[in-house]
Amino acid sequence: MEDLVQFEVREAGSKRIGVATLTREKALNSLRLETIDALLDNFRNWMADPDIACIVLTSITDRALCAGADITAQYHSIKDADGAYNAYGEDFFSHEYELDFMIRECEKPILAWGHNVVMGGGLGLLGGCSHRIGTAQSRIAMPEITIGLFPDAGATWFLSRMRSNLGYFIGLTGCQLGAGDAVDLGIINHVVNHEDQASILDGLATISWSGDSQANRAALTAHLAGYGAPTEDLPRNLLANEQAINDLIGEALAADDFFAVFNPGLQSMQDEWISQAAETYFAGSAVTARVFIEQMQRAKADGGMSLADMFRMELVIACQCLRHPDFPEGVRALLVDKDRNPQWSYADASSVPDDLVEAHFTPPWDANPLAHL
């Protein structure tokens, strides 16, 4: 069995620290069901253990915290199921979202080391932690439109609450955010120099931990403050275009056909970074684009969904993606045949039928597997 994650407990005075290290270096720590289940079991035990004062999620490689799900494994599970119930696929998403929910609800401090690549399901892990470390090299994205999936793993929660309609842009274009954008938007909340990692993590053993989770959070914040790195010169490509993006998406949301306004408006924007984001968007799945807009609108309706309801909605969408053709086709084109020429179901988002969008929000089972959240 491939080594996926290592767990250790470190002594810290009268308390202890649980450390989970993702070890799948060549695959940029892409998540398999086995990884998720191991994290679930250990995190659940650590959260319940009064002697564990703090939890750390880190990586064995400097290349990434986590690049997201192992979508090749998902592709093969879809093909093996051949239209029937896909146990691996559905268990992966339901267990992943339960883990993400549990992290977000945890009162104990959880530190995630978000150096270099943090994307997709990796951002789902980091995004729920109380202490989200970034460095000047952090690269953050939700690029699911490129594979016919959708921004998930809790992305609904933070994208639907983001200012200036920026969450719509991030989800539609899969744009890559630098540390400046990420810290200003609250995606990461501590910027440090990656070279200080060993000193920061070793220093956790010197903190005067207590049985008070809120006091422990404050103590961890104070510890990290001693290593804070300057943020003024970090890249802010998204925020440099904030007003233009907000205006375009606001106009599109007010139109009868969002994409009839958004598509030409995006093409007309004169910025190199925006042009790269636009290229990703126009090459992506039109079904994903339509589903994502509906996902955001439902999340915002009636004062906003609860966190648990958002994860339950995401699970419905994910399990429907397992049943519809764009997701496996996107993975085939990117990682299986690697021809980078996906044959999407529809050429543009405006032509995607409403009933197909609605099908992605229709539960495929009588009881949602996350009903207990």
Side-chain angles (χ1 to χ4, degrees):
M1 180 66 188
E2 181 183 12
D3 190 17
L4 303 173
V5 56
Q6 296 174 349
F7 299 96
E8 63 175 315
V9 174
R10 300 180 182 179
E11 299 299 321
S14 63
K15 297 294 183 179
R16 298 185 298 167
I17 299 167
V19 180
T21 303
L22 300 174
T23 58
R24 203 174 178 212
E25 181 174 2
K26 290 183 179 179
L28 300 184
N29 295 324
S30 61
L31 301 169
R32 296 181 60 86
L33 176 58
E34 296 87 350
T35 322
I36 296 295
D37 284 347
L39 289 168
L40 258 177
D41 288 345
N42 281 271
F43 277 29
R44 186 179 288 115
N45 290 336
W46 288 344
M47 290 175 188
D49 187 342
D51 288 336
I52 298 291
C54 176
I55 297 170
V56 174
L57 176 65
T58 187
S59 166
I60 201 170
T61 174
D62 289 344
R63 297 170 61 204
L65 172 65
C66 174
D70 184 337
I71 54 175
T72 303
Q74 292 280 16
Y75 172 85
H76 290 300
S77 76
I78 293 169
K79 294 303 179 182
D80 290 345
D82 193 25
Y85 170 67
N86 182 346
Y88 178 93
E90 297 206 9
D91 284 351
F92 177 91
F93 286 119
S94 63
H95 295 190
E96 179 188 22
Y97 299 169
E98 181 166 5
L99 173 63
D100 294 334
F101 178 83
M102 187 169 67
I103 289 172
R104 288 181 178 274
E105 293 289 284
C106 181
E107 294 183 357
K108 293 181 180 182
I110 305 180
L111 183 156
W113 196 270
H115 175 63
N116 222 321
V117 174
V118 187
M119 297 184 182
L123 187 53
L125 293 173
L126 177 136
C129 295
S130 61
H131 293 72
R132 305 179 294 278
I133 297 290
T135 69
Q137 296 77 34
S138 293
R139 294 184 288 144
I140 292 171
M142 296 300 294
E144 288 80 5
I145 195 166
T146 63
I147 55 168
L149 194 55
F150 70 104
D152 69 329
T156 311
W157 183 257
F158 67 87
L159 292 180
S160 66
R161 284 161 169 72
M162 196 169 286
R163 72 173 191 254
S164 301
N165 289 318
L166 296 178
Y168 284 96
F169 189 85
I170 291 170
L172 285 170
T173 67
C175 62
Q176 191 171 114
L177 305 178
D181 286 324
V183 71
D184 286 357
L185 293 172
I187 297 172
I188 56 179
N189 54 16
H190 298 276
V191 178
V192 303
N193 295 314
H194 183 59
E195 294 76 15
D196 290 330
Q197 181 180 22
S199 178
I200 290 172
L201 297 186
D202 289 345
L204 298 179
T206 68
I207 295 176
S208 297
W209 302 106
S210 70
D212 184 330
S213 293
Q214 293 306 311
N216 288 340
R217 285 189 175 210
L220 179 55
T221 298
H223 173 63
L224 294 174
Y227 293 90
T231 63
E232 294 81 5
D233 296 328
L234 296 175
R236 289 171 170 82
N237 293 307
L238 180 71
L239 297 182
N241 293 280
E242 179 172 358
Q243 188 60 57
I245 290 170
N246 182 53
D247 291 346
L248 172 60
I249 293 179
E251 183 182 353
L253 288 170
D256 291 335
D257 183 343
F258 176 96
F259 299 97
V261 174
F262 180 74
N263 289 11
L266 182 61
Q267 287 177 314
S268 69
M269 295 178 73
Q270 302 298 313
D271 177 87
E272 182 179 355
W273 183 83
I274 292 283
S275 296
Q276 292 174 348
E279 183 177 344
T280 301
Y281 165 71
F282 286 111
S285 164
V287 173
T288 293
R290 278 292 310 276
V291 167
F292 175 66
I293 295 298
E294 180 68 16
Q295 170 188 349
M296 292 283 278
Q297 297 297 79
R298 293 191 183 207
K300 289 171 170 287
D302 301 324
M305 282 184 176
S306 70
L307 179 63
D309 282 340
M310 283 193 183
F311 276 113
R312 285 188 276 266
M313 178 180 71
E314 287 189 354
L315 183 60
V316 172
I317 304 171
C319 290
Q320 289 294 357
C321 286
L322 294 171
R323 291 163 165 79
H324 288 83
D326 271 21
F327 180 32
E329 173 59 15
V331 179
R332 179 207 64 76
L334 182 65
L335 291 175
V336 180
D337 296 337
K338 300 181 181 180
D339 58 28
R340 295 186 175 271
N341 185 31
Q343 302 302 301
W344 302 122
S345 302
Y346 293 88
D348 63 89
S350 294
S351 65
V352 176
D354 292 344
D355 59 355
L356 177 58
V357 177
E358 183 62 32
H360 282 77
F361 293 85
T362 302
W365 358 255
D366 292 332
N368 193 304
L370 298 181
H372 61 284
L373 295 185

